[in-house]
Amino acid sequence: MAHRLIATTAVAAAAATLAGCSWMSSKPDSTPATAGATAPMRNVADTCRSLAGQIIEPGQIGASAKLASGPARIDSASWQSAAPIAVAERGPTPAALITPATPAYCKVLGQIAPVDLKAPPIQFQINLPAQWNGRSVQYGGGGFNGTLITGLGLLPAARFDQPAPLARGYVTYGTDSGHQTKPGEAPQAFALNDEAALNFFHASYKKVRDVAVAVMGQAYGRAPDKLYFVGSSEGGREGLMMAQRYPADFDGIFSRVPVLHWTGLQFAGARNGIATMDGGWIRPAQVKLVHEAVLAACDAADGVADGIVSDAAGCRGRFDVSRLRCQTSGGAPASDNCLSDAQVKAVQALHSPYRFPFTLANGLTDYPGWGVSGENTTSYGPTGGWLSWWLGKAPPAVPPAADNSIAWVYGAGALQYVYARDPKIDPRQVTPEKYAARVREVSALMDATNPDLSAFHARGGKLIVLENMADYAQSPYAGIGYVESVQARMGAGKTAEFLRLYTAPGVDHVGSGAPSQVDMLQALADWVEKGRAPAGLQLVEQAPKAPFTVQRARPLCEWPAWPRYQGSGDVNAAASFACTR
């Protein structure tokens, strides 16, 4: 893609629109993270309000990566009083039910001006705690972003009963990735602008990181000792992109259910939606039928029938959807007790790889099929299993409708806005063959599939990847395949020095269906700062109300191991299971 980013004159014009004074703080592109660690720390309560109106010059934003940028401006800086935890009765995800307690902190809101003045600014929020531990956490986004990530919520997979990073003394921050989704507008509409698209692909996260380091330097009088990035889904991809493109910027990264093979996911997701047209759409009662058939074939294989398929990879070989085919002829409609030919073919498409006719970035030629288990997960409303991610409330429409599945709305929209760059085109007409040059271009910019993490390893970085095995928003086998590619490139022994891959059986994309909660930030920090590699981690499932009782627990197993019941003991206790291959 020819990123026609307006050069010096546009930067000057952008700077002129952001009136205010400028400062020279620690330069994030050249100053080590530990620089200034011994300097006396300023009281952020005293410096907070003085941050408003400040300007960070373009030379401090993305310069080491040769990213063009306008200046950043602090629009407001306000002191926030401590607030207690709050729990909602309902929410779209487990984590959304909890608004964690916050300490007293300085809330900083600002924006980074674009170079192309037709592009939106990059909005950001930075939270500066009164009691700083010298560390920071950048939160990743989700979906197509377009909403400001505040950095105030729970981290992905976090336990409900443990403090959020800000309450632990971390500076936290997030961004909208350079665009704001507007009511009535497709979430992918921003991608028609080159700079907005590049910011979403990878540039905005680097730019905001640099701004955050500069703000920390101004607020506290020193740079952070350690920097962490934590994200899930799209945010998981962003974390991997930071390790691959900007390996010097973060000491530790936690990437949960990352949509790393983004190009493959969009085409495969659209393919899966098309498969449910013309009689292939599967009704809710039939989804339950498939779910129960998977459990009958695989649930007890781990030693206990408890509704969780622990050996999800092994179950792929034991479950055959064709056995649910209706014994009818002439294409008669399926009952709730069987599947028609079209429905069987739709499920087989979901389980099959999507193959490209040419090679994408980093040598990939296909996107892996989805696995089995968790088909009927609906623990937290419309965010689990097939009904949310793959099927929706009605068969796919052209153009996509509100009651369609997330996979169709996202995949079809990506094909229209990102690849064809034609909002009116029928997504069924957007094929890799017709748009080969653009597909390769986006893959090179967006897909976080580069297995060469040698620079990240050399700087001492640590990376933890967590895949949920009942995920239908993206295939967990994409992340598994990526880690295996790193092992092939760098060697299994060297990879083990800095990278861990864990899998959570029965858990869907957002954490529903089975034990899914673990304090991964602490595990990551201990590995980075104490050299203590993760060990003995457990997944728990907590009641989403105080006192957040643990209802079930499992050992968190490193791939390819999975938890097997040992034949005795409480089936809801992690101690009754052992990781096995």
Side-chain angles (χ1 to χ4, degrees):
M1 177 167 56
H3 297 287
R4 295 181 292 276
L5 304 182
I6 303 171
T8 308
T9 55
V11 172
T17 67
L18 299 177
C21 57
S22 69
W23 77 69
M24 294 299 294
S25 63
S26 59
K27 295 183 179 179
D29 288 305
S30 59
T31 304
T34 54
T38 58
M41 192 162 62
R42 297 172 186 161
N43 185 336
V44 71
D46 296 333
T47 61
C48 178
R49 298 190 193 284
S50 66
L51 298 175
Q54 299 277 16
I55 299 293
I56 300 98
E57 299 296 344
Q60 289 185 264
I61 306 171
S64 66
K66 299 180 179 179
L67 292 175
S69 179
R73 169 178 166 169
I74 306 302
D75 293 324
S76 66
S78 57
W79 191 250
Q80 306 293 309
S81 300
I85 188 172
V87 182
E89 289 295 326
R90 295 185 59 81
T93 69
L97 297 172
I98 310 298
T99 300
T102 55
Y105 70 99
C106 179
K107 177 182 177 181
V108 176
L109 295 173
Q111 56 186 297
I112 304 173
V115 177
D116 173 4
L117 298 184
K118 295 181 180 179
I122 302 169
Q123 297 189 27
F124 59 82
Q125 178 169 332
I126 304 169
N127 310 301
L128 307 165
Q131 301 298 321
W132 187 36
N133 65 11
R135 301 164 179 83
S136 69
V137 177
Q138 181 167 352
Y139 281 53
F144 284 88
N145 292 335
T147 300
L148 178 62
I149 301 300
T150 67
L152 297 175
L154 292 175
L155 290 178
R159 293 177 59 121
F160 298 152
D161 59 350
Q162 294 180 346
L166 184 63
R168 300 187 196 189
Y170 288 83
V171 167
T172 66
Y173 55 101
T175 177
D176 66 354
S177 82
H179 65 275
Q180 285 281 316
T181 300
K182 301 178 179 63
E185 182 179 83
Q188 306 92 348
F190 70 90
L192 298 177
N193 179 278
D194 277 355
E195 185 173 352
L198 185 64
N199 281 333
F200 174 67
F201 293 165
H202 61 81
S204 65
Y205 321 109
K206 160 65 173 173
K207 292 179 182 180
V208 169
R209 177 265 183 202
D210 289 353
V211 168
V213 171
V215 170
M216 282 183 264
Q218 179 70 4
Y220 295 110
R222 48 167 286 197
D225 301 319
K226 299 294 180 184
L227 296 99
Y228 296 94
F229 191 106
V230 176
S232 182
S233 189
E234 160 57 22
R237 182 199 68 86
E238 295 160 15
L240 291 176
M241 190 66 84
M242 296 301 98
Q244 295 167 22
R245 283 186 177 267
Y246 310 109
D249 282 0
F250 292 95
D251 299 281
I253 296 170
F254 172 40
S255 173
R256 175 179 178 251
V257 295
V259 292
L260 74 167
H261 188 349
W262 199 84
T263 295
L265 175 60
Q266 306 314 314
F267 280 93
R271 184 268 320 256
N272 296 345
I274 293 170
T276 64
M277 295 178 176
D278 302 322
W281 192 73
I282 301 169
R283 299 187 297 273
Q286 294 171 308
V287 173
K288 183 179 179 182
L289 171 75
V290 176
H291 178 83
E292 291 176 347
V294 169
L295 291 179
C298 304
D299 185 8
D302 60 3
V304 60
D306 59 355
I308 300 176
V309 176
S310 294
D311 182 15
C315 186
R316 298 175 93 188
R318 289 191 291 271
F319 172 72
D320 182 1
V321 69
S322 67
R323 295 176 182 174
L324 300 177
R325 191 190 310 271
C326 297
Q327 300 303 310
T328 60
S329 59
S335 73
D336 289 344
N337 297 317
C338 63
L339 301 179
S340 68
D341 287 347
Q343 291 172 324
V344 169
K345 288 180 181 178
V347 177
Q348 290 172 334
L350 178 74
H351 291 163
S352 301
Y354 180 93
R355 304 192 187 282
F356 287 83
F358 49 80
T359 302
L360 299 175
N362 302 303
L364 296 180
T365 58
D366 60 29
Y367 187 83
W370 276 254
V372 293
S373 78
E375 292 79 6
N376 198 43
T377 299
T378 56
S379 299
Y380 287 88
T383 56
W386 284 4
L387 294 174
S388 176
W389 300 107
W390 181 35
L391 298 171
K393 296 179 180 179
V398 179
D403 59 358
N404 290 162
S405 71
I406 297 173
W408 178 246
V409 172
Y410 277 13
L415 267 55
Q416 292 171 312
Y417 287 89
V418 179
Y419 297 97
R421 293 190 128 177
D422 180 358
K424 297 182 180 179
I425 196 169
D426 185 333
R428 294 171 294 185
Q429 304 304 313
V430 182
T431 66
E433 294 89 342
K434 289 183 181 178
Y435 297 90
R438 177 64 177 169
V439 170
R440 289 192 180 100
E441 186 175 58
V442 173
S443 179
L445 290 167
M446 181 70 175
D447 296 348
T449 55
N450 184 354
D452 184 3
L453 296 177
S454 55
F456 182 71
H457 173 246
R459 66 98 67 212
K462 307 298 183 186
L463 171 63
I464 298 176
V465 178
L466 174 61
E467 286 287 3
N468 294 343
M469 298 306 289
D471 188 348
Y472 291 102
Q474 60 95 36
S475 173
Y477 297 97
I480 291 169
Y482 171 69
V483 173
E484 290 175 343
S485 75
V486 175
Q487 293 169 334
R489 172 67 179 259
M490 301 183 65
K494 181 172 287 188
T495 301
E497 295 174 1
F498 73 97
L499 172 59
R500 292 287 188 275
L501 168 63
Y502 295 97
T503 54
V507 181
D508 103 311
H509 192 65
V510 300
S512 301
S516 65
Q517 299 166 271
V518 59
D519 186 358
M520 203 62 88
L521 177 60
Q522 190 60 54
L524 185 62
D526 286 345
W527 198 8
V528 168
E529 300 173 24
K530 300 178 182 178
R532 190 163 62 213
L537 298 178
Q538 292 185 5
L539 294 170
V540 302
E541 183 176 21
Q542 292 180 293
K545 59 178 62 177
F548 308 115
T549 305
V550 173
Q551 300 170 321
R552 293 191 290 182
R554 294 286 186 276
L556 179 57
C557 301
E558 189 174 354
W559 175 264
W562 46 273
R564 182 177 181 84
Y565 184 59
Q566 296 301 285
S568 63
D570 184 355
V571 296
N572 294 318
S576 301
F577 293 77
C579 294
T580 186
R581 299 193 179 197

